[in-house]
Amino acid sequence: MSRSVITIERHIIEAERQFPEATGAFSNILYDIALAGKMISREVRRAGLVDILGYTGGTNVHGETVKKLDEYAHEVIFKALDHCGHLCAMASEEAEDILHIPEQFPTGNYVLLYDPLDGSSNIDVNVSVGTIFSVHRKISAAERGGMEDVLQPGTRQVAAGYVVYGSSTMLVYTTGNGVHGFTLEPSIGEFLLSHPNIEIPSPGQRIYSVNEGNYSRWSKGQQRMVDYMKGMDTENPEPFSARYVGSMVADFHRTLLYGGMFMYPADARNPEGKLRLLYEAAPMAMIAEQAGGMASDGERPIMSIQPRDLHERTPLYIGSRDCVEMAERFLAEDQKGAKPGSGSAAIAAVV
Ligand code: P6P
């Protein structure tokens, strides 16, 4: 056995010990998120058996109402944390409005935002999906939190992470002291530290990740950048490789470990992009920055954006710093009305 066996609970406790004033509230939130991740992982891995096991939709063999997996994941997370006494409110991709803590439970000083099962449409074809979470401190005076507590910029996050349900189930999180990955050992139901202190390689592997089906709706700068990465620009000595899963958590996880850049640009049909700021882009941006990478909306850091709405969208460029900086240079030329083919200035300094 080459390395000590460290569970996520042990890792959280050790991290908490660095802060003598810590009350343990924050640690308990992370424990409960890890528990929810284990429960969701179990159901995701059985998804393909729904018909065989008689879970035909309306009710299962036990007469229970069977929910779609993303609704299930939403409820598992809410019910794992609604009574913990450390949250003043929650918000979920699956819920239109803010989620208040039930009256019968105590509240606390943190807010949890989450996408319970991102990419869930891919489950039917056995493609990796994921859960994304973001934790902020409560800032309002009210005991039970409100929109003010939820609509905070990414720079105010105290923790962020995701669970990727792939060839294995991994939980990756940061509390502002580096990024750490834990792999679920199903036989004992424990997340074990497998990727301590993850850093995005920069220059990383020359991988770009974007849905090129949107090419015709992109800006000229966006089109020129992708043309460059594909080697269609004579100035590019070495084309990038293209990888696109279509599940953000999977595409980001690969980018975190290998480098390169994942993009979901704005386009003529989605002028604000497709991905959600609060519970998709901002938590991934905290992880990327903590891992030495970068996350931008094409002009400014994702973490700097002051949210206006619970479900607002944002363009996203995230990964190795050199790639995201290149993206900002290409897109800046859109602002200057650059003529097609003038991408050379944006290419400078790209490794
Ligand atoms: P498209 C999944 O539906 C998702 O929200 C992200 O996980 C993923 O990156 C993106 O949408 C894929 O969108 O338009 O390429 O299918």
Side-chain angles (χ1 to χ4, degrees), residues 229-248:
M229 291 191 284
K230 292 166 75 167
M232 294 164 66
D233 182 311
T234 53
E235 300 192 38
N236 177 8
E238 184 190 339
F240 285 55
S241 292
R243 295 285 184 277
Y244 193 69
V245 177
S247 185
M248 178 199 188

Side-chain angles (χ1 to χ4, degrees), residues 118-119 121 211 214 244 246-249 262 264 274-275 280:
D118 178 68
S121 57
N211 182 344
N214 299 326
Y244 193 69
S247 185
M248 178 199 188
V249 176
F262 168 74
Y264 207 104
K274 174 181 183 184
L275 301 178
E280 290 178 339

